[in-house]
Amino acid sequence: MRQPPVNMIARDAIKAWKITAAIYVAVLWLATLAIAIISYHYTLSYWFVSIAILISGLSTYLAVFLFPEIRWRRWRYEVFDQEIYIQHGILIVSRTLVPMIRVQHVDTKQGPILRNFRLASVTISTAATTHEIPALLEEDASELRDRISALARVDEDDV
Protein backbone atom coordinates (compact mmCIF):
# COMPACT_ATOMS: atom_id res chain seq x y z
CA MET A 1 0.00 0.00 0.00
CA ARG A 2 1.17 3.47 -0.84
CA GLN A 3 2.27 5.72 2.02
CA PRO A 4 0.27 8.90 2.72
CA PRO A 5 1.56 12.11 1.13
CA VAL A 6 4.15 13.93 3.22
CA ASN A 7 3.28 17.62 2.72
CA MET A 8 0.75 19.31 4.98
CA ILE A 9 -1.08 22.57 4.37
CA ALA A 10 -0.38 25.71 6.45
CA ARG A 11 -1.33 25.63 10.13
CA ASP A 12 -3.15 28.96 9.75
CA ALA A 13 -5.73 27.09 7.68
CA ILE A 14 -7.36 26.14 10.97
CA LYS A 15 -7.97 29.81 11.83
CA ALA A 16 -9.27 30.59 8.35
CA TRP A 17 -11.64 27.61 8.40
CA LYS A 18 -12.87 28.53 11.89
CA ILE A 19 -13.71 32.08 10.75
CA THR A 20 -15.48 30.76 7.67
CA ALA A 21 -17.46 28.27 9.75
CA ALA A 22 -18.35 30.98 12.28
CA ILE A 23 -19.87 33.07 9.49
CA TYR A 24 -22.03 30.15 8.33
CA VAL A 25 -23.04 29.28 11.88
CA ALA A 26 -23.98 32.91 12.56
CA VAL A 27 -26.64 32.56 9.87
CA LEU A 28 -27.94 29.47 11.67
CA TRP A 29 -28.08 31.39 14.97
CA LEU A 30 -30.01 34.19 13.24
CA ALA A 31 -32.53 31.60 12.06
CA THR A 32 -32.75 30.31 15.64
CA LEU A 33 -33.41 33.85 16.86
CA ALA A 34 -36.13 34.24 14.23
CA ILE A 35 -37.75 31.00 15.40
CA ALA A 36 -37.65 32.26 18.99
CA ILE A 37 -39.29 35.57 18.01
CA ILE A 38 -41.98 33.82 15.97
CA SER A 39 -42.64 31.38 18.81
CA TYR A 40 -43.00 34.26 21.28
CA HIS A 41 -45.37 36.30 19.10
CA TYR A 42 -47.57 33.40 18.00
CA THR A 43 -47.38 31.52 21.32
CA LEU A 44 -46.02 28.38 19.73
CA SER A 45 -44.46 25.59 21.70
CA TYR A 46 -40.97 26.30 23.02
CA TRP A 47 -39.89 22.88 21.76
CA PHE A 48 -39.16 24.50 18.40
CA VAL A 49 -36.84 26.99 20.05
CA SER A 50 -35.19 24.29 22.16
CA ILE A 51 -34.54 22.10 19.14
CA ALA A 52 -33.22 25.08 17.13
CA ILE A 53 -30.84 26.02 19.98
CA LEU A 54 -29.67 22.41 20.26
CA ILE A 55 -29.01 22.18 16.51
CA SER A 56 -27.25 25.56 16.44
CA GLY A 57 -25.09 24.72 19.46
CA LEU A 58 -24.09 21.32 18.11
CA SER A 59 -23.35 22.81 14.68
CA THR A 60 -21.19 25.51 16.28
CA TYR A 61 -19.17 22.98 18.25
CA LEU A 62 -18.63 20.69 15.26
CA ALA A 63 -18.03 23.28 12.55
CA VAL A 64 -16.07 25.89 14.49
CA PHE A 65 -14.20 23.97 17.18
CA LEU A 66 -13.83 20.31 16.16
CA PHE A 67 -13.73 19.84 12.38
CA PRO A 68 -11.12 22.48 11.37
CA GLU A 69 -8.40 20.83 13.49
CA ILE A 70 -9.24 17.32 12.25
CA ARG A 71 -9.53 18.56 8.67
CA TRP A 72 -6.09 20.16 8.89
CA ARG A 73 -4.52 16.94 10.22
CA ARG A 74 -6.00 14.90 7.36
CA TRP A 75 -5.12 17.25 4.47
CA ARG A 76 -1.91 16.13 2.78
CA TYR A 77 -0.43 16.38 -0.68
CA GLU A 78 2.70 15.47 -2.57
CA VAL A 79 3.87 16.30 -6.07
CA PHE A 80 5.84 13.71 -8.00
CA ASP A 81 7.27 13.99 -11.52
CA GLN A 82 4.40 11.96 -13.01
CA GLU A 83 1.49 12.64 -10.64
CA ILE A 84 0.00 14.70 -7.84
CA TYR A 85 -1.10 12.76 -4.76
CA ILE A 86 -3.86 14.39 -2.65
CA GLN A 87 -5.39 12.97 0.53
CA HIS A 88 -8.23 14.57 2.53
CA GLY A 89 -11.44 13.81 4.37
CA ILE A 90 -12.68 13.43 7.94
CA LEU A 91 -15.03 10.43 7.92
CA ILE A 92 -14.42 9.35 4.35
CA VAL A 93 -10.77 9.70 3.42
CA SER A 94 -10.24 10.44 -0.27
CA ARG A 95 -6.91 9.67 -1.93
CA THR A 96 -6.55 11.09 -5.41
CA LEU A 97 -3.79 10.69 -7.97
CA VAL A 98 -3.80 13.32 -10.69
CA PRO A 99 -1.57 12.31 -13.61
CA MET A 100 0.59 15.21 -14.80
CA ILE A 101 -0.30 14.36 -18.38
CA ARG A 102 -3.98 15.22 -17.58
CA VAL A 103 -3.29 18.64 -16.03
CA GLN A 104 -4.70 21.37 -18.25
CA HIS A 105 -3.99 24.42 -16.11
CA VAL A 106 -3.04 25.36 -12.56
CA ASP A 107 -4.31 28.42 -10.69
CA THR A 108 -3.87 30.02 -7.30
CA LYS A 109 -6.82 31.71 -5.67
CA GLN A 110 -7.27 33.73 -2.52
CA GLY A 111 -10.38 35.07 -0.82
CA PRO A 112 -10.48 37.79 1.83
CA ILE A 113 -10.14 35.39 4.77
CA LEU A 114 -7.21 33.50 3.23
CA ARG A 115 -5.60 36.82 2.23
CA ASN A 116 -5.78 37.98 5.86
CA PHE A 117 -3.58 35.02 6.85
CA ARG A 118 -1.36 35.28 3.71
CA LEU A 119 -2.66 31.96 2.42
CA ALA A 120 -3.72 30.85 -1.06
CA SER A 121 -5.24 27.74 -2.61
CA VAL A 122 -3.92 25.92 -5.65
CA THR A 123 -6.50 24.56 -8.11
CA ILE A 124 -5.50 21.88 -10.60
CA SER A 125 -7.82 21.47 -13.57
CA THR A 126 -8.10 18.40 -15.74
CA ALA A 127 -10.59 17.70 -18.52
CA ALA A 128 -12.91 15.91 -16.09
CA THR A 129 -12.71 17.91 -12.86
CA THR A 130 -10.85 20.39 -10.70
CA HIS A 131 -8.78 19.48 -7.64
CA GLU A 132 -7.84 21.94 -4.92
CA ILE A 133 -5.05 22.09 -2.40
CA PRO A 134 -6.34 24.65 0.11
CA ALA A 135 -4.62 27.12 2.40
CA LEU A 136 -0.94 27.06 1.52
CA LEU A 137 1.39 29.91 2.34
CA GLU A 138 1.36 32.40 -0.56
CA GLU A 139 4.97 31.68 -1.51
CA ASP A 140 4.44 27.91 -1.30
CA ALA A 141 1.28 28.16 -3.41
CA SER A 142 3.09 30.15 -6.11
CA GLU A 143 6.04 27.74 -6.14
CA LEU A 144 3.71 24.72 -6.26
CA ARG A 145 1.70 26.25 -9.13
CA ASP A 146 4.87 26.94 -11.11
CA ARG A 147 6.30 23.48 -10.39
CA ILE A 148 3.12 21.66 -11.45
CA SER A 149 2.90 23.82 -14.55
CA ALA A 150 6.51 23.00 -15.46
CA LEU A 151 6.03 19.28 -14.85
CA ALA A 152 2.79 19.20 -16.87
CA ARG A 153 4.48 21.04 -19.72
CA VAL A 154 7.36 18.54 -19.75
CA ASP A 155 4.94 15.63 -19.86
CA GLU A 156 3.08 17.11 -22.83
CA ASP A 157 6.36 17.46 -24.71
CA ASP A 158 7.20 13.82 -24.04
CA VAL A 159 3.93 12.55 -25.56
Side-chain angles (χ1 to χ4, degrees), residues 63-108:
V64 177
F65 297 108
L66 185 63
F67 287 158
E69 179 80 25
I70 296 172
R71 186 177 172 200
W72 177 79
R73 287 185 188 160
R74 297 290 178 110
W75 244 108
R76 295 177 180 266
Y77 71 96
E78 191 166 357
V79 177
F80 299 102
D81 290 343
Q82 300 295 319
E83 61 199 12
I84 304 162
Y85 186 18
I86 300 171
Q87 176 183 311
H88 63 92
I90 294 175
L91 295 176
I92 299 171
V93 177
S94 175
R95 294 180 175 175
T96 305
L97 290 173
V98 181
M100 284 295 178
I101 197 167
R102 300 287 183 219
V103 173
Q104 292 186 333
H105 66 273
V106 185
D107 299 320
T108 56

Side-chain angles (χ1 to χ4, degrees), residues 79 100 106-108 122 138-154:
V79 177
M100 284 295 178
V106 185
D107 299 320
T108 56
V122 175
E138 287 176 335
E139 305 85 38
D140 294 343
S142 294
E143 289 175 13
L144 183 63
R145 180 196 59 214
D146 295 343
R147 181 169 177 227
I148 291 171
S149 176
L151 290 171
R153 197 173 320 130
V154 168

Side-chain angles (χ1 to χ4, degrees), residues 24-25 30 60 79 108 123 130 137 141 144:
Y24 288 121
V25 170
L30 288 175
T60 301
V79 177
T108 56
T123 57
T130 301
L137 295 174
L144 183 63

Side-chain angles (χ1 to χ4, degrees), residues 19-34:
I19 291 171
T20 303
I23 292 169
Y24 288 121
V25 170
V27 173
L28 192 60
W29 279 105
L30 288 175
T32 300
L33 180 65

